[in-house]
Amino acid sequence: MKKENLELLEKYGQTHLLRFYEKLDEQKKDALEKQIENLDWGLFSCLDSDSTPSNKGNIAPLGALSVDEIEKKREEYTQTGLEAIRAGKVAALLLAGGQGTRLGYAGPKGTFNIGVERELYIFEQLIRNTLEVVEQAGAWVPFFVMTSEKNHDDTVTFLKEHGYFGYNPEYMFFFKQSMAPSMDFNRKLLMETEDRLVFSPNGNGGWFASFMRAGMHTKAKEMGVEWLNAFAVDNVLQRIADPCFVGAVIKHGCVSGAKVVRKVHPEERVGALCLEDGRPSIIEYYELTREMSYAKDERGEYLYNFGVILNYLFRLDKLERIAENRMPLHVVEKKIPYVDPDGTAHAPTEPNGYKFETLILDMVHMMDNCLSYEVVRESEFAPVKNKEGVDSIDTARKLLQENGIKL
Ligand code: UTP
């Protein structure tokens, strides 16, 4: 082991990682050393509260372009959006690198079959939604898929085996996101095997850095892409590369846009789009005081009433501009399987350590402005997060059926 690496382990109190080192073969020793060498030691400092991204600036409401306002201009926005799509300026970006632990399903979330009497996979439904736009525009929308080390092969194989559900493979591109190590509550890095640390996807906020690292950015630019529509894998009803949304963002001269839904209750557990120190931002439900949650404007509307649904449009040149910014790291407590220093494997049933994640919502705050664009919740928001209860397989199925989709 190189002296510098050993010194780092000692400095950060991580020499337990060498517990099995002597009995490893040369290849495994090398592999472990590389992981140590490439570690982001900055993770340790973000555990200290003042460096966590919790302190918000000055919060003010942002409101939204309402469904009624959008309806009045639907035709005009849609035409503008379709023109951009036909000119190859709009790409879709599916964030599918998450582990979907809440769903408790073994494969990549997109391979989950939401059908009842027939097969309907989540990926299939998302691709169908995009194909509707492809048909309307008469042009293919470049479709980027972000996976992670953990689910890349399964995702690519699945889509290939299913003929990309009718999408043109020449317009579908895959890239992997970066991974971050996990540690226990005593700040000891966890090991997955004797020669490998526990790594997990580093959150959905690192997608543009991973996109660039994988050369996708160059590819997108060569194709003339100017806008990227980033969206989550789990909302089976969402419109993708939605011409009306794209057109509205362009017409309003904004550099980004976020689809939002009206909250069902002022204390609903969703992040609300707002202004923070005059810039767009997302305030989490637990960051809103009760007073703010219930505050109303002069028309009697709640001020922080529009929740984000993880469907954003970003202008590519603006993303390039923030590419060098370091994304804030969020520390989350999770159940993390690991191997202890005696070599025994554990699969905890309660959170036992920290994972580190960057969040796409922090990118929104780096944009100069963001069009808050309201969509009808019942027809565009059916997230599959949990096995049961709220935002679950059942609620998503019900919403799909209510929207005329046969299951
Ligand atoms: P979630 O916040 O639902 O996280 O992701 P998750 O990891 O998929 O699920 P849980 O919390 O373990 O149940 C929202 C979106 O961001 C993507 C997910 O795939 C989903 O589309 N995501 C999340 C990534 O692409 N990478 C990540 O590291 C995390």
Side-chain angles (χ1 to χ4, degrees), residues 94-103 109 146 177 201-204 231-234 310 334 357 385:
L94 168 55
L95 300 166
Q99 291 181 286
T101 47
R102 282 171 288 171
L103 186 62
K109 202 185 259 190
M146 183 171 83
Q177 73 173 97
N202 69 345
N204 57 27
F231 62 98
V233 70
D234 41 53
L310 220 172
K334 293 255 178 172
E357 294 187 343
K385 295 279 186 199

Side-chain angles (χ1 to χ4, degrees), residues 83-98:
E83 272 167 36
I85 293 167
R86 287 189 190 114
K89 292 181 182 171
V90 184
L93 189 276
L94 168 55
L95 300 166

Side-chain angles (χ1 to χ4, degrees), residues 64-74 77 244 260-262 306 372-380:
L65 186 65
S66 70
V67 167
D68 290 346
E69 288 166 310
I70 294 167
E71 266 333 297
K72 284 188 203 134
K73 295 203 167 174
R74 178 165 290 281
Y77 291 153
C244 189
V260 294
V261 290
R262 235 164 250 264
F306 295 98
S372 177
Y373 178 98
E374 189 195 359
V375 294
V376 177
R377 189 182 184 111
E378 294 71 24
S379 49
E380 270 215 50

